[in-house]
Each structure stands twice: as structure tokens, then as C-alpha cells.
Amino acid sequence: MFTGIIKAKGTITALEARGGDVRLSVSSAGLPWGDYDLGESIAVNGVCLTAVALRDDGFDTDVSVETLDVTALGALAAGSRVNLEPAISLGERLGGHLVSGHVDCKGVVSSRTSDARSIRLAIEIPEEYSRYVSRKGSVCVDGVSLTINEVSGNHFELNIIPHTAEVTIIDRYAVGTVVNIEVDLLARYIERLISKDDGDISLDFLKAHGYA
């Protein structure tokens, strides 16, 4: 599990095709890689990946065909900047929201404007995922835990404060940038509860108990 609080930015130093899969090499001076073990889970732009090799300045990880299809990792190239977050340990502060690292869909930045010192972004997602986003709800964009300001159809808006822009790759976003989207886990569980035809769980029940 992750929190959506980015610990460091990294750079893709190599991509090696391996029988349809891809091995990524990531370099980053922002984390003590010698403290981690092989098999460590590391979120790269919000995608949970496994470290198969560790170096003083980074790590290697394998990306499957399925992950390349579902996420925006397939568009990375040598020199691409990425957000990094190692998996959390029990007892750590949960500064963002619970994130699984299992990307639901790809989104596209549809607008970028200045809002005082912040950046105002609008992101378009596939229509079938729009039911999982709501005003003031949480969403994970390229591994970053963010609060949704507004929702209109299959677009949602975000306000990126200067600190977030500085410590993540969001400052490089432009109209047309493709990003990884993970919707809030609670939204998925609530949908599952409501869809169960057992007569005990309803939307009114969830509202009465503070879940919707």
C-alpha cells in the first residue's frame, strides 16, 4: 500500500525490451536505496512495481504487457521524469489517502491554467470511471494523492499548490499529457456494497452511517 505522498522524483535511464515485457532502470538521488531489499514494492507514477535490482542511485523493475496496456508507462522514454514512492510501513503517517498502486485507467490533461500561485488542471477520464470521482473526494494522479475541486461529466479539476508542483512531475504537465489514474478505494467498495442484492445495504443506509 501507498499514501500518494511522493518521496522523490526519478529519471528513467534505460528501457530494455524483454520478450514483450520491458525492464525499466530508474535513477534517483532522493532515497536511500541501500536501505531497501530486492522485491521491494515501489510506485512509479502511481504504478506498483517490484524492484528486481538495486543500486546506490536507483533500481530496476520489470513492467508486464498488461501494465503497459493499462497505464501510461508505455509512453516513457530514457530521460522521462517520474514520481516515486516506496510502500508504506505499518505505523507511518498516512498523509494522503490509501493507494494500492493498481491503476484503473489513463487520463488526459485537458486544460492547464494559473490560479494565483497554484496550477489549475482539468483531466479527462473514460466515461465508465467518472462515477468514481466526486467533488472534494480523493484521486491518485501519477501516484500523487489529490483532492478533486470540481467534476463535470468525465472531467475533474484539481488545484496544484506550489509545493506539490515542486516535489512531483506535475509541474511538467501540459494539455495532452497522459497520466495514470487510480480512483479512491472507498468509492469502489461502496459501489460493490450497493450492488449486492442482499437487502441489507442501500444508498440510504450508507448515507445514514456516513459512508456516502
Side-chain angles (χ1 to χ4, degrees):
M1 296 295 292
F2 307 91
T3 68
I5 303 299
I6 301 305
K7 302 300 185 184
K9 288 187 282 189
T11 302
I12 302 298
T13 56
L15 298 92
E16 179 186 352
R18 293 197 171 192
D21 296 342
V22 171
R23 175 159 293 189
L24 288 181
S25 295
V26 183
S27 175
S28 174
L31 288 166
W33 298 108
D35 294 346
Y36 296 103
D37 298 319
L38 288 180
E40 193 86 34
S41 292
I42 302 170
V44 178
N45 279 359
V47 183
C48 180
L49 299 173
T50 300
V52 297
L54 290 164
R55 304 181 305 278
D56 290 340
D57 66 343
F59 64 97
D60 293 348
T61 184
D62 290 329
V63 185
S64 69
V65 173
E66 168 69 12
T67 301
L68 291 170
D69 288 342
V70 173
T71 74
L73 293 186
L76 296 177
S80 294
R81 297 285 278 167
V82 291
N83 293 321
L84 301 174
E85 182 190 0
I88 60 173
S89 300
L90 290 177
E92 284 190 46
R93 291 185 178 90
L94 184 61
H97 70 283
L98 286 176
V99 174
S100 70
H102 302 155
V103 170
D104 291 294
C105 65
K106 289 179 278 190
V108 180
V109 176
S110 55
S111 72
R112 172 178 171 150
T113 57
S114 296
D115 188 359
R117 295 188 303 119
S118 297
I119 300 169
R120 187 85 170 191
L121 293 177
I123 295 179
E124 180 182 3
I125 58 175
E127 186 69 38
E128 61 266 31
Y129 291 97
S130 61
R131 65 183 181 272
Y132 299 118
V133 297
S134 61
R135 186 174 180 272
K136 301 306 177 184
S138 296
V139 68
C140 192
V141 178
D142 273 349
V144 184
S145 173
L146 296 167
T147 300
I148 297 168
N149 283 5
E150 299 291 344
V151 177
S152 178
N154 63 329
H155 291 73
F156 61 85
E157 293 187 4
L158 305 165
N159 190 74
I160 310 300
I161 63 173
H163 174 77
T164 301
E166 179 182 352
V167 301
T168 73
I169 63 171
I170 292 178
D171 64 327
R172 299 188 175 203
Y173 288 179
V175 173
T177 297
V178 180
V179 295
N180 294 315
I181 302 293
E182 181 182 336
V183 301
D184 191 0
L185 289 172
L186 287 177
R188 283 202 169 278
Y189 283 121
I190 288 173
E191 179 188 52
R192 177 64 175 166
L193 286 169
I194 293 175
S195 67
K196 286 181 67 66
D197 189 20
D198 56 15
D200 295 327
I201 303 294
S202 66
L203 183 58
D204 288 338
F205 175 89
L206 292 169
K207 287 180 177 177
H209 291 81
Y211 290 100

